[in-house]
Amino acid sequence: MAPIPDKSNQSNPSNESVSVDEMMARLKRGNRKKRHSESKEKRKSEGELVTREDGTQAIKVRRRKRRSKQPKKQSQTDPRLKWILLGCFGIGFVLLIVASIFIIVKYNGRTFKADTESMICSLSGSQSAELTQLRVTPVSAKANKVDIHWDKHSFIQNASFNNLRADIKATSFFSKNWIGEEIVASTGTLHLQVPQPSSEPNEATASPPYEFEAYRCNQLSLSFGDQRKAPQIADIEVSLRELANEQKQIVFSNGTLKIPDWPQMQLASGVLTLKSKSADIEARLVSESSNQGEITLKGSLPNNTRTAASLDVSAKNFPMEELLGKEMGRLIQGNIQSRSGSFSYDYNKAPEEALSFNLPFNATELFMSGLPMFKDLKKLTGETAYARVNFFNSTGVLMRTAQGLTLSEIDFANSSLLTMEGSIRVNHDGALSGTLKLGVPESYFEEEVPAPFTGPNSGFYHIDVKLAGNIRTPSDNLHSQLKPYLGASSRSETKALLEALVPEQQKKKPENGEKQPAPEGEPSEKDFDKLYPR
């Protein structure tokens, strides 16, 4: 009998052999379907089924309104942490107070003041230093005044600085050095002297415990000697800095150079670099009346005092009248150029006599007036341009010393009016002297040539004139030489010469017979008589 096949195994799909991977895949699909159906049922329960215009359906769910009052969450901060923080803050505050009291007590006592004065002497090589009312706080240090004195072997005699202030870092109290941006003094004075030779070797300076970026004085007066008439640089702003190569550099600006019997000059800026055996300097002087006029001083100052210290001088568009001074500047005006001047200081002379200034110059336009000889030349030739002579090509040498002012090697030329050669000297007391050789074009002498003139030579007749008197009322001997050839001075001639000084555009005719007042700045006949006295 044949066996009957088991149909149950064929009809039941669960009996099929299925791999483990397939079983896991079926389980995942089942879970997804289950979650999808549950989510769909949940959305249906929370919203409503709507049909869109295109026929699709969607479930519209209402948005939940935000509750106005949220349940307060319980603080999870440990209460002990708050007390720990408060305790740390309190301890820090107490330590800060204690540290401040410690700083005030320690650094405002006599011991610290004496140590600071001793350190100043050690660093500067001075004999003594005295601080007045030194006050130190955790963030700054102040002093009303510091006085420093050196011996006779130093270039510096004494120095004094007022209202000193230094902003210091708090870390300075935990280190060996004082650290900050700069130490500033509001005013100060510094007296220099010629050092006397010393047989003792220079002591090495101590390593400075100060680490400041700069040491500055806003208004310093620098005097070359302690005499009342000693040369000085007043009201200069000075800053001392240390370069990367450990050299010291002094930067200065905005001062006034004051030398007895010399005109004051404005010091605009300068740099002084200190070296072991010398100091390199470059300074710029500016004009008070011209924005472009300047004089440059440049050179090296040796430590050796056996020879004079000398600086090279150059001038660009500098008004000559500012170098000549107020009185002499009335006679000669114009801008000069120079590239080969010198400014020297002789250590073997007294400070008030040690300075000398030598400046060879040239100019394309110089004006000269105020000497009586110009009035006599006008009478002789009838040329009113002699009232104020314009020289178009001029050279000479300007020299200033303690004895006075000298203009030498004068060579002024106006080929159609006048040439001038010679020298002019003004002593320190104002006495005027000198000899000038004047050249008048031969075209002015068509008939008779006055006997004192010689020539012609190169188209000019020449005559020597000696200057005398003083700088306020100068005189010369031209009138005495030409007296037989000069006619009587008439009022019309004086008026004609006066009108030559007035620009044409200022001349206006009076209306209705009224007398026209003289324009402001226009010279009168009385002024002309003062300028050219008879």
Side-chain angles (χ1 to χ4, degrees):
M1 183 174 182
I4 301 173
D6 190 358
K7 296 181 178 179
S8 61
N9 291 335
Q10 296 179 358
S11 60
N12 189 2
S14 60
N15 293 332
E16 296 178 358
S17 69
V18 180
S19 64
V20 175
D21 294 338
E22 181 65 21
M23 292 177 63
M24 294 300 296
R26 290 179 180 178
L27 288 174
K28 290 180 180 179
R29 285 195 296 271
N31 290 335
R32 283 198 296 270
K33 291 180 180 179
K34 184 177 180 181
R35 286 197 300 272
H36 180 70
S37 60
E38 291 177 354
S39 176
K40 189 174 181 180
E41 291 296 329
K42 184 178 181 180
R43 287 197 299 270
K44 288 182 178 180
S45 61
E46 293 179 353
E48 59 178 335
L49 183 63
V50 295
T51 303
R52 299 192 181 95
E53 294 180 356
D54 57 356
T56 58
Q57 293 182 340
I59 297 176
K60 183 178 180 181
V61 181
R62 295 180 180 178
R63 293 183 180 179
R64 294 182 178 180
K65 294 183 179 179
R66 186 178 181 86
R67 288 178 291 180
S68 59
K69 293 184 180 179
Q70 299 289 345
K72 294 183 179 180
K73 295 183 179 180
Q74 295 183 354
S75 175
Q76 299 180 357
T77 303
D78 191 348
R80 291 176 298 177
L81 180 60
K82 180 175 67 176
W83 292 108
I84 293 174
L85 293 176
L86 291 175
C88 293
F89 178 77
I91 294 174
F93 182 73
V94 172
L95 291 176
L96 180 62
I97 294 177
V98 172
S100 300
I101 295 174
F102 173 77
I103 291 173
I104 294 173
V105 173
K106 179 180 179 180
Y107 294 101
N108 288 273
R110 294 182 179 180
T111 302
F112 178 74
K113 177 176 176 292
D115 292 342
T116 303
E117 293 172 344
S118 177
M119 180 57 66
I120 293 175
C121 292
S122 177
L123 295 176
S124 62
S126 59
Q127 279 188 325
S128 64
E130 182 180 358
L131 284 165
T132 304
Q133 294 187 6
L134 176 63
R135 305 177 299 279
V136 181
T137 67
V139 294
S140 67
K142 297 180 181 179
N144 282 7
K145 188 177 183 181
V146 58
D147 290 316
I148 311 173
H149 296 269
W150 284 261
D151 58 19
K152 60 183 179 180
H153 304 297
S154 173
F155 272 97
I156 306 175
Q157 183 178 9
N158 58 70
S160 178
F161 299 96
N162 303 313
N163 300 326
L164 293 93
R165 176 183 173 86
D167 294 329
I168 56 180
K169 296 183 178 180
T171 54
S172 301
F173 299 98
F174 305 99
S175 64
K176 297 181 180 180
N177 296 334
W178 294 94
I179 305 171
E181 292 186 2
E182 60 180 5
I183 298 178
V184 182
S186 61
T187 60
T189 57
L190 187 67
H191 291 92
L192 303 180
Q193 64 181 354
V194 178
Q196 297 183 8
S198 175
S199 58
E200 299 180 0
N202 295 330
E203 298 181 0
T205 58
S207 177
Y210 305 108
E211 296 183 4
F212 292 90
E213 297 180 3
Y215 305 84
R216 179 164 56 90
C217 182
N218 294 329
Q219 195 172 354
L220 177 68
S221 293
L222 180 66
S223 299
F224 297 85
D226 55 358
Q227 293 84 358
R228 185 174 59 87
K229 291 187 176 182
Q232 66 172 261
I233 303 175
D235 302 333
I236 186 174
E237 183 177 348
V238 180
S239 178
L240 173 64
R241 299 178 183 273
E242 184 172 352
L243 303 179
N245 55 5
E246 296 185 355
Q247 290 183 349
K248 302 294 190 301
Q249 187 177 76
I250 299 176
V251 180
F252 50 91
S253 61
N254 301 330
T256 304
L257 180 61
K258 297 180 179 180
I259 304 174
D261 301 323
W262 290 32
Q264 293 187 9
M265 302 187 69
Q266 299 301 315
L267 180 61
S269 61
V271 176
L272 179 68
T273 304
L274 304 178
K275 297 182 178 180
S276 58
K277 296 183 179 180
S278 64
D280 295 337
I281 185 173
E282 183 172 356
R284 188 171 65 94
L285 305 175
V286 295
S287 167
E288 291 183 340
S289 59
S290 173
N291 295 330
Q292 298 180 349
E294 66 177 28
I295 291 179
T296 303
L297 308 177
K298 189 175 182 180
S300 180
L301 303 175
N303 291 344
N304 184 10
T305 59
R306 297 177 183 176
T307 58
S310 182
L311 300 177
D312 296 331
V313 179
S314 61
K316 179 181 179 183
N317 298 326
F318 200 87
M320 190 174 184
E321 56 269 26
E322 293 188 19
L323 296 176
L324 297 177
K326 181 179 179 180
E327 300 298 338
M328 187 65 178
R330 293 186 303 107
L331 306 182
I332 305 176
Q333 295 116 19
N335 295 339
I336 62 174
Q337 321 290 330
S338 178
R339 294 184 179 180
S340 56
S342 63
F343 188 76
S344 303
Y345 187 91
D346 191 346
Y347 295 104
N348 298 320
K349 296 182 179 180
E352 61 272 15
E353 299 179 355
L355 286 174
S356 63
F357 181 76
N358 189 283
L359 187 69
F361 65 88
N362 63 83
T364 57
E365 189 174 49
L366 281 183
F367 297 93
M368 197 166 179
S369 62
L371 293 175
M373 63 182 183
F374 294 127
K375 181 178 180 180
D376 295 324
L377 288 175
K378 187 271 166 190
K379 291 181 181 179
L380 181 66
T381 63
E383 177 59 67
T384 57
Y386 283 112
R388 190 168 186 256
V389 183
N390 187 356
F391 295 102
F392 299 108
N393 187 12
S394 306
T395 60
V397 178
L398 187 155
M399 184 171 65
R400 269 197 175 277
T401 63
Q403 286 71 36
L405 167 69
T406 302
L407 283 178
S408 60
E409 302 180 26
I410 291 176
D411 188 1
F412 299 168
N414 181 337
S415 59
S416 63
L417 188 64
L418 183 67
T419 63
M420 182 183 296
E421 298 177 358
S423 63
I424 303 175
R425 177 175 177 79
V426 181
N427 292 337
H428 66 280
D429 57 357
L432 179 66
S433 62
T435 301
L436 296 174
K437 183 178 181 180
L438 305 182
V440 179
E442 59 181 342
S443 59
Y444 286 109
F445 304 107
E446 297 179 355
E447 299 178 358
E448 182 183 5
V449 178
F453 282 90
T454 60
N457 185 9
S458 300
F460 291 86
Y461 285 97
H462 295 91
I463 187 172
D464 292 333
V465 179
K466 292 185 178 181
L467 302 179
N470 59 68
I471 192 61
R472 294 186 178 181
T473 57
S475 62
D476 57 65
N477 67 341
L478 182 61
H479 183 80
S480 61
Q481 295 184 69
L482 300 180
K483 189 173 182 179
Y485 305 93
L486 298 176
S489 177
S490 64
R491 184 175 183 86
S492 60
E493 290 179 346
T494 303
K495 185 176 181 180
L497 188 55
L498 174 62
E499 291 177 351
L501 299 175
V502 184
E504 291 294 329
Q505 62 271 21
Q506 292 185 1
K507 298 180 181 178
K508 295 182 180 180
K509 295 182 179 180
E511 297 179 359
N512 300 327
E514 297 180 358
K515 187 177 180 180
Q516 180 187 7
E520 184 178 356
E522 179 181 339
S524 63
E525 293 186 16
K526 184 178 180 181
D527 296 332
F528 181 79
D529 291 337
K530 291 182 180 179
L531 186 62
Y532 298 101
R534 293 182 175 84

